[in-house]
Amino acid sequence: MIHMGFSAAVAFVLVRVFKVVSPVKMTFEIYATCVIPISAFFAASLWFGNTAYLFISVAFIQMLKALMPVATFVMAVLCGTDKLRCDLFLNMLLVSFGVVISSYGEIHFNVVGTVYQVTGIFAEALRLVLTQVLLQKKGLTLNPITSLYYIAPCSFVFLFVPWYLLEMPGIEVSQIQFNFWIFFSNALCALALNFSIFLVIGRTGAVTIRVAGVLKDWILIALSTVIFPESAITKLNIIGYAIALCGVVMYNYLKAKDVRSTQTPGDSERTSKDLRSSNMYGLDENSSNIGMGGKNGRSGSHLEVIIDEEVPLIPASKGLLSRSKPS
């Protein structure tokens, strides 16, 4: 809740005071039908995901996050934005099998914490699907700053309500040791995460961020066992996570293969530039043509799953901008 409030304040200053970017034409209908549902599921993913840390270790949570492609694929199929393909289905089974083995090998397995984390993962997956379905119907494109400008305040409200009802009654003011610099630096890190991911994609590409994401996962697991000695990992943990990670890598390979197979030679350079400049975690490389009468008439329906719980970014695609100009 503090992160969302801080991000909303900074985004407001950047948009309204310094005018770094211009706000989009936001109507009440678009806000009610797009921004509010996406913010609600984003807040839910934060709420459930963060609550899981009270019950299970950082390393085990990172292993459970390997389920993200599975959750996204399931939600996309249920919402009709993706088709049930045999190769992807078998890939999802491999990821799930690896997570099950990793869970079985967890020393301090906790059902409540696991349920919280899995619920948060599926809430995030549903947010990604809603981002694709709702925003593309409206032809709305937002960059990271305007995304925070519209989504962060709404997510703050959705997190404030459960905090006020569930957590605040148990807080004793006399026991609170408020340190401004701890809270400020913490919120600053969350804000920096939002913009750093945008800069990484803008200067590298989707493939690089995937590889970096895999490296980040292993570093997180290794560091968590050093910083928190009580969260020891077992051989079964490592074997299960390695199996799940193989499934995730194969999933990324199939996605990249799909993109290459649907590209025409003349599209390659433009698509590469679009990926580096604007693909923001909710859509895949084909999605700029959905509902917009794309050049190839294809309906790219897969979803990118390179996400982080602190990043409420909405896709901003040059493809959308170039194809949605009035004739």
Side-chain angles (χ1 to χ4, degrees):
M1 183 184 71
I2 293 173
H3 288 173
M4 290 299 99
F6 184 78
S7 296
V10 172
F12 179 85
V13 172
L14 291 176
V15 173
R16 293 296 182 182
V17 179
F18 293 105
K19 301 186 185 300
V20 176
V21 294
S22 300
V24 301
K25 186 178 180 181
M26 180 68 65
T27 64
F28 177 78
E29 179 191 1
I30 293 177
Y31 195 87
T33 59
C34 295
V35 176
I36 290 179
I38 291 170
S39 300
F41 283 106
F42 178 63
S45 69
L46 285 173
W47 182 14
F48 289 113
N50 287 337
T51 305
Y53 284 94
L54 299 175
F55 300 93
I56 53 182
S57 67
V58 175
F60 185 50
I61 285 176
Q62 204 60 37
M63 295 175 189
L64 288 176
K65 286 181 181 180
L67 282 173
M68 191 62 215
V70 180
T72 307
F73 180 69
V74 170
M75 289 300 178
V77 171
L78 291 177
C79 293
T81 63
D82 205 347
K83 293 181 180 179
L84 187 61
R85 288 169 42 186
C86 183
D87 55 349
L88 286 178
F89 179 72
L90 293 176
N91 187 254
M92 297 300 101
L93 287 180
L94 179 63
V95 175
S96 302
F97 178 68
V99 173
V100 169
I101 292 179
S102 182
S103 302
Y104 184 77
E106 175 64 17
I107 298 176
H108 306 292
F109 182 81
N110 185 286
V111 177
V112 176
T114 303
V115 170
Y116 272 123
Q117 182 59 39
V118 173
T119 303
I121 289 172
F122 274 89
E124 178 63 19
L126 192 53
R127 180 187 73 85
L128 290 175
V129 176
L130 281 177
T131 299
Q132 183 183 31
V133 173
L134 297 177
L135 291 182
Q136 286 194 4
K137 283 184 177 179
K138 306 295 183 181
L140 187 65
T141 57
L142 301 176
N143 62 43
I145 297 177
T146 50
S147 296
L148 288 175
Y149 178 73
Y150 291 110
I151 289 182
C154 194
S155 296
F156 173 84
V157 173
F158 280 113
L159 290 169
F160 177 83
V161 173
W163 172 80
Y164 182 81
L165 296 176
L166 301 177
E167 292 187 359
M168 195 184 75
I171 295 177
E172 295 184 13
V173 180
S174 59
Q175 296 181 352
I176 295 177
Q177 297 179 356
F178 181 80
N179 187 312
F180 171 79
W181 292 110
I182 290 179
F183 280 91
F184 178 74
S185 60
N186 190 275
L188 201 61
C189 285
L191 181 69
L193 176 62
N194 286 297
F195 294 118
S196 65
I197 290 180
F198 167 69
L199 292 174
V200 169
I201 293 180
R203 295 182 180 275
T204 57
V207 175
T208 304
I209 198 70
R210 284 191 180 108
V211 175
V214 172
L215 180 63
K216 182 207 71 172
D217 292 342
W218 283 108
I219 292 175
L220 262 174
I221 292 173
L223 281 179
S224 67
T225 57
V226 174
I227 298 174
F228 307 107
E230 67 276 7
S231 61
I233 56 177
T234 63
K235 289 183 178 179
L236 269 181
N237 278 145
I238 298 175
I239 293 172
Y241 184 64
I243 293 173
L245 205 58
C246 288
V248 173
V249 171
M250 183 59 67
Y251 174 85
N252 290 334
Y253 170 76
L254 292 173
K255 296 274 293 168
K257 186 178 178 182
D258 288 342
V259 174
R260 286 196 299 268
S261 65
T262 54
Q263 275 184 358
T264 60
D267 289 337
S268 299
E269 184 178 352
R270 184 178 67 251
T271 303
S272 177
K273 290 179 181 178
D274 286 349
L275 280 174
R276 288 194 297 271
S277 63
S278 57
N279 189 20
M280 299 275 55
Y281 293 88
L283 307 173
D284 80 334
E285 293 83 346
N286 295 332
S287 60
S288 60
N289 291 303
I290 298 176
M292 304 303 295
K295 180 177 180 180
N296 298 320
R298 64 186 183 267
S299 59
S301 57
H302 303 298
L303 293 168
E304 286 289 353
V305 291
I306 322 163
I307 57 94
D308 201 294
E309 289 76 4
E310 293 292 350
V311 187
L313 301 182
I314 294 179
S317 174
K318 285 183 181 178
L320 279 173
L321 289 172
S322 62
R323 293 178 177 88
S324 59
K325 291 179 181 178
S327 56

